[in-house]
């Protein structure tokens, strides 16, 4: 009897659930579980020093150095394979696994707990549960959108007929080969993106900002709508993009005198101006940031100084000396070494402006503590201007483009009129405004699309 009792105790002890893992079907059973899973979903977007293949770094420099305005500083830098357009097995950036991992996290929030009524205390937390559900759908749309930009042809190439990426709307077991879906067409992927965003917006479950930045670090109604304008621009649905942008454009942009660097965007302003950051990933400490593998460290002179502005871009920007965005591009700061001799960096670049300062040291003295900009009000204005230009709506093009220009320069000659408000001018302002944070460009390997 003693032997049986001891055997039973040993078996019970061995059958205990591990403290650091639980079965997926019992992972999210109440509101607090769902809230924790929500944080995990955003943490996947953020990445860390090991998983940099998304917004930690790669999504930024992949969009930047493949265009005309930024470049890898030298061969062998982290961004050099993207800049040199190398697409071998070893050189091609891995922007797949992390993204589908985030999709799995979003889908676990969407399907198991909410749609299958698995949250036991949902009734007394219904508004919050619905909000989490809408945020997860928005993130699912964002990730599918990013994936199809990287691995599919632009929608405008053949109206989405070519192959894109697999649409994943349920949690799948990556070890089960039969459960892994094949590729969908670009059009099918975009249809899913629009469906998720419109359902999230129409649900009225997303928080509504009283001013930009109210829901820092989380997707709210403004962020979902801003993302939808970007999606519609890519699809060529210009009227839809313009209609949504108009609902957001009543917000005031930050004034010229206050827009000196990206850090300014994280500060609440006076009654006449507000924070224009609509959605950003928050770096509040070393448990959030991607350390030296993050985009801030890669772009900063005191970091890896991995990628710099091209001379042609700086020359273009310098044509208007009063443009505040020129002050965001810095020359080499460390000009001499301890012995007083010029540094190698200064020997190479002299006093030319080369470094993006959108992730400055700040008051805490560490560039890695900067938040990562994903959606800004400025882009919404630019999307409105671009859509209007493509619709030949000259009055709206002038209205939205001049809102950007007059808040970036005091040179009134830079303002556009209906005769000068061309699509080319809109794209030029987009280049000036979004350099160093281009997560919103077409990244297709075989097609280089200029902003």
């Amino acid at each position: 009897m003693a032997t049986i009792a001891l055997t039973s105790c040993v078996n019970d002890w061995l059958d205990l659930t591990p403290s650091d893992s639980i079965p997926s079907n019992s992972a999210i059973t109440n509101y607090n579980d769902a809230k924790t899973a929500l944080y995990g979903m955003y943490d996947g977007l953020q990445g860390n020093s090991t998983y940099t293949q998304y917004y930690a770094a790669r999504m930024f420099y992949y969009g930047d150095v493949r265009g005309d305005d930024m470049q890898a500083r030298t061969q062998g830098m982290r961004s050099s394979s993207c800049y040199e357009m190398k697409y071998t097995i070893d050189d091609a950036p891995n922007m797949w696994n992390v993204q589908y991992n985030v999709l799995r996290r979003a889908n676990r929030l969407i399907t198991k707990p909410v749609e299958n009524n698995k949250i036991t205390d949902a009734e007394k937390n219904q508004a919050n549960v619905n909000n989490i559900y809408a945020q997860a759908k928005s993130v699912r749309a964002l990730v599918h959108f990013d994936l199809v930009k990287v691995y599919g042809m632009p929608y405008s190439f053949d109206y989405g007929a070519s192959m894109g990426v697999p649409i994943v709307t349920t949690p799948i077991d990556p070890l089960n080969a039969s459960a892994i879906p094949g590729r969908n067409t670009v059009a099918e992927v975009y249809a899913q993106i629009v469906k998720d965003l419109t359902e999230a917006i129409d649900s009225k479950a997303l928080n509504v900002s009283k001013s930009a930045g109210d829901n820092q670090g989380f997707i709210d109604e403004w962020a979902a709508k801003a993302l939808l304008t970007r999606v519609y621009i890519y699809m060529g649905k210009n009227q839809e993009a313009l209609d949504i942008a108009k609902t957001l454009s009543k917000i005031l942009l930050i004034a010229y005198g206050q827009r000196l660097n990206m850090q300014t965007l994280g500060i609440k302003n006076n009654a006449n101006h507000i924070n224009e950051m609509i959605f950003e990933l928050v770096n509040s400490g070393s448990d959030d940031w991607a350390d030296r593998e993050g985009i801030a460290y890669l772009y900063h002179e005191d970091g890896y100084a991995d990628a710099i502005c091209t001379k042609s871009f700086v020359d273009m920007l310098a044509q208007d000396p009063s443009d505040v965005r020129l002050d965001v591009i810095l020359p080499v700061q460390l000009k001499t070494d301890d012995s007083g001799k010029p540094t190698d960096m200064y020997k190479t670049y002299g006093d030319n402006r080369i470094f993006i300062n959108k992730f400055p040291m700040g008051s805490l003295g560490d560039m890695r503590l900067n938040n990562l900009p994903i959606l800004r009000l400025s882009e919404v204005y630019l999307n409105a201007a671009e859509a209007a230009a493509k619709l030949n709506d000259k009055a709206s093009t002038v209205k939205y483009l001049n809102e950007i220009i007059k808040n970036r320069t005091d040179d009134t000659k830079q303002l556009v009129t209906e005769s000068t408000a061309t699509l080319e001018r809109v794209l030029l302002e987009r280049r000036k405004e979004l350099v160093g944070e281009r997560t919103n460009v077409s990244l297709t390997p075989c097609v280089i699309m200029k902003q």
Side-chain angles (χ1 to χ4, degrees), residues 28-50:
I28 305 174
T29 60
N30 56 55
Y31 167 64
N32 284 330
D33 288 345
K35 186 165 63 173
T36 300
L38 179 76
Y39 298 153
M41 178 183 69
Y42 282 108
D43 187 62
L45 285 177
Q46 170 86 320
N48 54 41
S49 58
T50 301

Side-chain angles (χ1 to χ4, degrees), residues 129-185:
V129 170
N130 292 343
N131 176 257
I132 289 174
Y133 180 70
Q135 286 189 65
K137 280 204 163 186
S138 301
V139 168
R140 187 168 74 180
L142 172 65
V143 178
H144 276 119
F145 184 44
D146 289 338
L147 281 165
V148 79
K149 285 188 295 182
V150 175
Y151 294 104
M153 295 296 290
Y155 188 95
S156 58
F157 176 73
D158 55 6
Y159 298 100
S162 54
M163 300 307 294
V165 296
I167 296 173
V168 178
T169 57
T170 58
I172 60 174
D173 181 0
L175 300 179
N176 182 0
S178 63
I180 298 176
R183 295 172 74 183
N184 292 88
T185 65

Side-chain angles (χ1 to χ4, degrees), residues 28 37-48 51 98-111 113 136 139 171:
I28 305 174
L38 179 76
Y39 298 153
M41 178 183 69
Y42 282 108
D43 187 62
L45 285 177
Q46 170 86 320
N48 54 41
Y51 299 104
V98 173
Q99 282 79 349
Y100 276 101
N101 183 279
V102 177
L103 282 179
R104 184 168 65 249
R105 297 181 189 189
N107 285 329
R108 290 204 186 283
L109 272 170
I110 293 168
T111 56
V139 168

Side-chain angles (χ1 to χ4, degrees), residues 47-122:
N48 54 41
S49 58
T50 301
Y51 299 104
T52 63
Q53 294 93 343
Y54 206 2
Y55 285 114
R58 183 134 324 140
M59 198 70 189
F60 283 91
Y61 71 69
Y62 193 30
D64 268 315
V65 302
R66 288 161 45 81
D68 293 338
D69 300 336
M70 291 192 70
Q71 66 180 68
R73 184 167 56 83
T74 64
Q75 286 187 323
M77 308 304 286
R78 285 158 177 75
S79 61
S80 60
S81 64
C82 295
Y83 175 64
E84 295 165 12
M85 302 287 182
K86 289 183 178 179
Y87 300 108
T88 66
I89 292 176
D90 293 329
D91 290 322
N94 180 356
M95 294 182 66
W96 184 275
N97 291 340
V98 173
Q99 282 79 349
Y100 276 101
N101 183 279
V102 177
L103 282 179
R104 184 168 65 249
R105 297 181 189 189
N107 285 329
R108 290 204 186 283
L109 272 170
I110 293 168
T111 56
K112 289 186 179 296
V114 179
E115 292 181 346
N116 295 331
N117 299 315
K118 295 284 185 171
I119 297 182
T120 56
D121 56 352

Side-chain angles (χ1 to χ4, degrees), residues 87-341:
Y87 300 108
T88 66
I89 292 176
D90 293 329
D91 290 322
N94 180 356
M95 294 182 66
W96 184 275
N97 291 340
V98 173
Q99 282 79 349
Y100 276 101
N101 183 279
V102 177
L103 282 179
R104 184 168 65 249
R105 297 181 189 189
N107 285 329
R108 290 204 186 283
L109 272 170
I110 293 168
T111 56
K112 289 186 179 296
V114 179
E115 292 181 346
N116 295 331
N117 299 315
K118 295 284 185 171
I119 297 182
T120 56
D121 56 352
E123 186 173 342
K124 62 181 180 181
N125 293 289
Q126 195 62 59
N128 291 327
V129 170
N130 292 343
N131 176 257
I132 289 174
Y133 180 70
Q135 286 189 65
K137 280 204 163 186
S138 301
V139 168
R140 187 168 74 180
L142 172 65
V143 178
H144 276 119
F145 184 44
D146 289 338
L147 281 165
V148 79
K149 285 188 295 182
V150 175
Y151 294 104
M153 295 296 290
Y155 188 95
S156 58
F157 176 73
D158 55 6
Y159 298 100
S162 54
M163 300 307 294
V165 296
I167 296 173
V168 178
T169 57
T170 58
I172 60 174
D173 181 0
L175 300 179
N176 182 0
S178 63
I180 298 176
R183 295 172 74 183
N184 292 88
T185 65
V186 170
E188 290 170 336
V189 179
Y190 272 89
Q192 181 64 47
I193 294 166
V194 172
K195 179 176 183 292
D196 276 342
L197 285 174
T198 53
E199 286 181 355
I201 294 167
D202 292 345
S203 72
K204 304 299 182 183
L206 291 171
N207 291 332
V208 180
S209 297
K210 294 181 179 178
S211 64
D214 275 359
N215 302 305
Q216 188 183 43
F218 298 95
I219 290 180
D220 59 12
E221 183 178 327
W222 284 10
K225 287 181 177 180
L227 179 58
L228 190 53
T229 66
R230 183 187 292 180
V231 172
Y232 279 145
I233 284 288
Y234 272 67
M235 297 179 73
K237 293 191 173 185
N238 298 305
Q239 189 61 59
E240 290 88 338
L242 182 58
D243 290 343
I244 295 174
K246 283 180 177 179
T247 68
L248 298 174
S249 63
K250 296 176 183 178
I251 313 163
L252 293 173
L253 291 172
I254 286 180
Y256 157 76
Q258 295 182 336
R259 173 63 164 87
L260 292 178
N261 56 47
M262 183 57 67
Q263 190 181 29
T264 305
L265 300 180
I267 301 172
K268 288 290 191 298
N269 298 288
N270 59 35
N272 295 321
H273 310 101
I274 63 170
N275 183 343
E276 77 160 29
M277 193 64 68
I278 296 178
F279 174 50
E280 60 189 328
L281 296 174
V282 176
N283 278 323
S284 59
S286 58
D287 58 338
D288 292 325
W289 64 20
D291 198 23
R292 295 178 180 178
E293 298 300 323
I295 192 63
Y297 205 84
L298 265 60
Y299 279 180
H300 205 284
E301 179 185 353
D302 290 337
Y304 286 142
D306 194 290
I308 60 176
C309 292
T310 62
K311 186 176 185 301
S312 61
F313 173 76
V314 176
D315 288 346
M316 177 272 292
L317 193 57
Q319 291 176 10
D320 177 11
S322 66
D323 193 320
V324 71
R325 290 168 296 197
L326 188 61
D327 295 330
V328 184
I329 318 297
L330 300 179
V332 174
Q333 302 297 299
L334 186 62
K335 299 182 180 182
T336 59
D337 59 22
D338 292 339
S339 64
K341 296 180 180 179

Side-chain angles (χ1 to χ4, degrees), residues 414-428:
Q414 300 297 325
L415 296 173
V416 297
T417 63
E418 291 195 5
S419 62
T420 60
T422 62
L423 177 60
E424 289 73 19
R425 181 58 195 278
V426 175
L427 299 181
L428 182 66

